[in-house]
Amino acid sequence: MSSVHQAFVVMGSGKDSRKVPVGSSTVVGRGSGCDLVIRDLAASRRHLEIRDVNGTYQCRDLDSSNGTLINGELAAARELKDGDEIRIGTTPLRFVLERKTTPSPLGKTVFLQTMIDPSGREKALPSSRSKELLEAAYTLMNSLSSNFNPCQLVDTILETTMSAVRAQRGAVLFAGEDHELQPCSECGHVHTISDGTPRLAGLDEIKISESVANRVLRDGEDVLFQSARSDGVVDPTASIAALRLTSILCVPIRTQREIYGILYIDTDVADHEYTQDDMLLAAAAGNSAGLALENAKIHRDLLEKQRIEHDIEAAWTIQEGFLVRDWPTDDPRIEVFGVTRPAKVVGGDFYDFARLDDDHVGLLIGDVSGKGVPAALTMALLLAEFRLCATGAESTAEVLRRLNERMVGRSRRGTFCTAALVALNLRTGNLMAANAGHHPVLRISNEEVTTFIPASGPPLGILTGVEWIDEEAIVRPGETLLMYTDGIVEARTVDPDEAEGREHGEYGLEGLDGVVREQIGSTPQALIEAVLDDVDGYCRPLAPHDDCTMIALKYHGHD
Amino acid sequence: MRIEADKTADETIITVEGDIDLYTSPELRKVVLKAVPKAAIGVGIHLGGITYMDSSGVATLVEGLRSAKEHGKAFTLIAPSTAVMKVLELARLDSIFEVRSD
């Protein structure tokens, strides 16, 4: 007999309400196999059944643990009328009868799509259930991808997964160095949720099946234990028996490379069992969580790296302070200017300018092998030692010899340093210079550009007992001396037209000579800025790959 | 980079082939620093098969040379390829190494 009415059970209200038609038999409960699944821990897996008996609707409590209230009264069995309130735990449901608009061609409306295949495995989920799981997965993905706080991540994973699989108890544990179980390294506690209440617990307070947890941590496998079926997924062990657990769901929190920890869920409620589908969701949560934790780790490493870079920048500011920047303006006999521009944040190039006495000045340029922080530290040390070695030295070669002996005693890992040193008598224009493996000095007059003072020995810091030779010359008024490092003459270009005809495609002495000739008569500062511009132009669109350093002195003569 | 050490004669010959760069030079460094104290008279580094050497390679050779001086051993570069010589000349180190053709 076909009724003119269609019966519904309505859960919730407003936009979030769900309305499930009642068929010839409709089962409501917490279990995933129910026609209407309710997320209420006080509900039993199969809590009650509503049957269509010749057009009347009979509600029967299926021996639930906590009973069923119909219109506020505990009822084992009762006929339902339009508008009746059915309460399971804290979840209210409403039974409604509506007039059918068109007669259903089906004698029974099937909402339950679960079918049992011959092997006994569930083939499909009720559509409402799969939607819930999808929603949970979506929530997880969203919340995990934007959070870099490990503690919050762990809480989200636990809450979302446990609510989706209606878990009674759960915890997230981490892997120690020897794959032992550890609390969260961020807060030192184990994140747990028990009967809906989150709690941070100590490691020794946690009662879990360690055999299962260790197995998941060690092998990275998902484990599902169901005591009722005990289908051999995992052997019931002593710890499971001792804790009287009925079902365990445990999955690794992992990436492809690493197992970070486990998501562990269990229950000791007699008829509460986790399903294969619960496990699939938990496994997806574990994978997402692994990625999210890895992200958080990378994010943290990045912050640390930025902090270090910031420190290095600060170090460079300090180091730059060692280099002279107050060029003499009170001596009409000379103009001096120098600059260093590190290729990395810090550099190993250096220059120095010193007034030795009223009539003598010293110019130094140097290049420590290697780049970055190690070179920069060596450079800082060398600058300090140079001042020390220059005190009381008879000649430029003597200064280099002293500097070399100090450096050989200290240098590690084959670090060495090229250096050229010039001392100029401002009264006479007499110059004394020595060169330890460095580029020759460029001498710029109004007529010509030449090099002089080539290296008379190897770089500093390699061998003891090395002697360099003092070279002497006379600098005429109007001449400029320019000293430079590798970064200038070894600058490279990616533009084949620019590189055309240059040896090794490098800027070279040829490039330097070209721009210097255009700057005859310029001040040292204008000269150096023009060279830097030209080198930058040569390297463009890249930046010069090595530190670029120059120091120049223009001699105007005495009186 | 491929390294072979041959300790048949008074001189331990270390033959290196390929590139000596930031990634391969630590291995060469280990082999050289281990060979130097054990060598009877000295160590020869055969560099004929080097296609590229950067400044970390230069530093490795310098460290080998310094270690040899400390131990009173000879340290010779054998048949350095043009790639090696170019770098040594650029660093103005060609004068500090003893070099022979084979």
Side-chain angles (χ1 to χ4, degrees):
Chain A
M1 173 185 153
S2 185
S3 167
V4 292
H5 286 98
Q6 171 64 54
F8 293 93
V9 178
V10 183
M11 179 164 69
S13 60
K15 205 155 49 88
D16 296 322
S17 70
R18 284 177 50 212
K19 190 169 156 187
V20 177
V22 175
S24 58
S25 164
T26 300
V27 176
V28 180
R30 195 162 36 87
S32 60
C34 294
D35 302 279
L36 175 59
V37 179
I38 54 172
R39 297 183 187 189
D40 191 321
L41 290 172
S44 294
R45 287 181 64 79
R46 287 169 60 83
H47 199 100
L48 62 81
E49 182 189 30
I50 302 168
R51 291 178 79 95
D52 180 352
V53 183
N54 298 327
T56 66
Y57 293 91
Q58 304 295 328
C59 176
R60 189 167 63 90
D61 186 280
L62 299 172
D63 289 324
S64 69
S65 310
N66 297 316
T68 305
L69 293 173
I70 296 176
N71 296 330
E73 286 175 39
L74 199 60
R78 177 175 295 193
E79 186 181 342
L80 294 173
K81 300 290 180 201
D82 184 26
D84 279 351
E85 195 213 43
I86 308 163
R87 183 174 284 268
I88 296 174
T90 58
T91 308
L93 305 171
R94 192 159 294 280
F95 177 78
V96 290
L97 282 174
E98 286 180 14
R99 182 173 283 275
K100 282 180 185 170
T101 48
T102 50
S104 169
L106 301 167
K108 177 187 168 197
T109 312
V110 179
F111 298 97
L112 180 65
Q113 288 161 11
T114 305
M115 293 185 290
I116 306 296
D117 70 10
S119 70
R121 236 190 114 230
E122 285 174 4
K123 228 184 178 176
L125 283 168
S127 58
S128 60
R129 175 70 180 139
S130 56
K131 185 162 166 272
E132 273 173 43
L133 290 180
L134 265 177
E135 275 170 3
Y138 181 74
T139 308
L140 267 173
M141 292 291 185
N142 264 346
S143 52
L144 296 187
S145 60
S146 57
N147 198 334
F148 294 131
N149 180 319
C151 276
Q152 286 173 11
L153 280 173
V154 168
D155 283 338
T156 307
I157 294 154
L158 254 185
E159 274 171 37
T160 315
T161 314
M162 286 181 65
S163 140
V165 306
R166 299 178 191 85
Q168 187 202 2
R169 300 186 304 207
V172 168
L173 289 135
F174 288 89
E177 274 182 20
D178 300 319
H179 293 284
E180 77 279 18
L181 292 167
Q182 291 268 308
C184 169
S185 61
E186 192 73 11
C187 62
H189 293 97
V190 181
H191 295 253
T192 71
I193 294 181
S194 187
D195 293 319
T197 311
R199 193 169 78 89
L200 291 173
L203 189 60
D204 46 6
E205 294 174 63
I206 303 294
K207 292 196 183 81
I208 60 169
S209 165
E210 290 194 17
S211 54
V212 170
N214 283 323
R215 177 177 162 156
V216 174
L217 204 56
R218 191 185 61 233
D219 301 337
E221 287 173 1
D222 308 327
V223 166
L224 174 66
F225 167 72
Q226 300 162 312
S227 66
R229 284 191 224 176
S230 193
D231 53 4
V233 180
V234 63
D235 298 331
T237 61
S239 63
I240 297 176
L243 294 165
R244 310 218 296 206
L245 300 176
T246 48
S247 188
I248 303 172
L249 183 52
C250 188
V251 296
I253 292 172
R254 68 177 306 172
T255 61
Q256 294 226 311
R257 293 187 298 116
E258 199 175 344
I259 298 175
Y260 284 100
I262 56 164
L263 172 58
Y264 175 95
I265 290 166
D266 70 12
T267 182
D268 58 4
V269 173
D271 58 352
H272 190 178
E273 276 193 349
Y274 304 113
T275 63
Q276 292 271 356
D277 299 300
D278 292 339
M279 187 171 78
L280 284 178
L281 177 82
N287 284 336
S288 310
L291 276 177
L293 286 174
E294 190 164 76
N295 268 344
K297 207 171 141 208
I298 290 169
H299 180 73
R300 177 174 302 190
D301 289 352
L302 199 69
L303 287 183
E304 176 65 10
K305 190 166 165 270
Q306 282 174 351
R307 194 188 61 74
I308 291 171
E309 276 169 8
H310 184 79
D311 279 0
I312 291 174
E313 271 173 46
W316 176 245
T317 316
I318 294 169
Q319 199 184 354
E320 235 185 344
F322 299 155
L323 297 169
V324 177
R325 269 186 298 179
D326 297 328
W327 304 106
T329 52
D330 57 341
D331 195 327
R333 296 173 293 183
I334 48 166
E335 284 176 87
V336 192
F337 187 77
V339 77
T340 184
R341 222 178 43 183
K344 297 195 172 178
V345 184
V346 292
D349 277 8
F350 58 92
Y351 61 79
D352 200 6
F353 167 80
R355 285 183 168 280
L356 307 174
D357 59 41
D358 281 351
D359 288 327
H360 289 85
V361 293
L363 284 182
L364 172 76
I365 194 159
D367 180 355
V368 176
S369 64
K371 292 189 190 72
V373 176
L377 289 174
T378 308
M379 162 271 200
L381 185 70
L382 271 171
L383 263 184
E385 297 209 328
F386 164 66
R387 293 288 178 117
L388 204 65
C389 294
T391 311
E394 289 291 313
S395 75
T396 47
E398 170 70 6
V399 177
L400 293 186
R401 196 187 60 74
R402 290 186 188 178
L403 209 49
N404 180 55
E405 295 305 320
R406 285 177 170 268
M407 198 183 163
V408 168
R410 288 187 179 160
S411 96
R412 296 284 179 274
R413 296 232 162 195
T415 303
F416 57 89
C417 170
T418 67
L421 173 62
V422 168
L424 181 66
N425 184 329
L426 299 181
R427 186 171 288 276
T428 61
N430 277 327
L431 170 145
M432 182 188 271
N435 186 336
H438 200 81
H439 292 276
V441 179
L442 219 56
R443 179 177 188 161
I444 306 154
S445 72
N446 283 331
E447 294 80 33
E448 54 179 1
V449 180
T450 52
T451 60
F452 72 149
I453 319 164
S456 61
L460 307 173
I462 299 175
L463 301 170
T464 57
V466 181
E467 297 287 341
W468 287 268
I469 297 164
D470 284 305
E471 193 163 331
E472 295 188 32
I474 293 188
V475 180
R476 291 186 298 273
E479 284 185 343
T480 299
L481 306 179
L482 175 66
M483 297 157 95
Y484 54 89
T485 57
D486 285 349
I488 303 292
V489 286
E490 289 172 20
R492 287 182 219 133
T493 183
V494 286
D495 182 346
D497 291 340
E498 284 273 16
E500 182 71 37
R502 309 266 179 135
E503 208 177 337
H504 316 308
E506 286 173 351
Y507 184 73
L509 203 53
E510 186 191 337
L512 185 58
D513 187 81
V515 64
V516 164
R517 279 177 198 280
E518 290 168 13
Q519 295 294 325
I520 285 175
S522 293
T523 63
Q525 181 164 357
L527 168 68
I528 283 174
E529 283 168 359
V531 174
L532 280 181
D533 275 355
D534 200 52
V535 169
D536 286 347
Y538 185 75
C539 296
R540 209 162 283 142
L542 304 181
H545 70 284
D546 199 359
D547 306 339
C548 288
T549 302
M550 283 176 282
I551 184 167
L553 178 146
K554 187 165 192 174
Y555 180 55
H556 292 295
H558 191 68
D559 295 332
Chain B
M1 186 185 73
R2 211 164 60 86
I3 303 182
E4 243 174 63
D6 177 17
K7 209 185 145 190
T8 49
D10 293 341
E11 188 182 45
T12 302
I13 305 284
I14 297 169
T15 305
V16 201
E17 282 171 8
D19 293 356
I20 309 178
D21 57 23
L22 205 59
Y23 305 100
T24 58
S25 60
E27 193 191 342
L28 176 63
R29 175 176 185 267
K30 226 168 20 184
V31 173
V32 170
L33 294 186
K34 212 171 135 193
V36 165
K38 290 185 191 161
I41 290 175
V43 172
I45 316 283
H46 199 292
L47 298 167
I50 294 300
T51 44
Y52 173 82
M53 183 168 86
D54 72 359
S55 60
S56 71
V58 176
T60 305
L61 294 182
V62 166
E63 200 178 0
L65 173 67
R66 289 191 48 195
S67 168
K69 297 282 173 193
E70 275 166 29
H71 288 91
K73 305 284 166 69
F75 190 84
T76 316
L77 306 187
I78 304 167
S81 64
T82 47
V84 172
M85 280 316 288
K86 211 185 296 174
V87 176
L88 291 182
E89 280 163 20
L90 274 176
R92 285 157 294 275
L93 290 164
D94 44 326
S95 63
I96 68 155
F97 287 102
E98 199 177 307
V99 179
R100 70 166 194 264
S101 54
D102 66 64

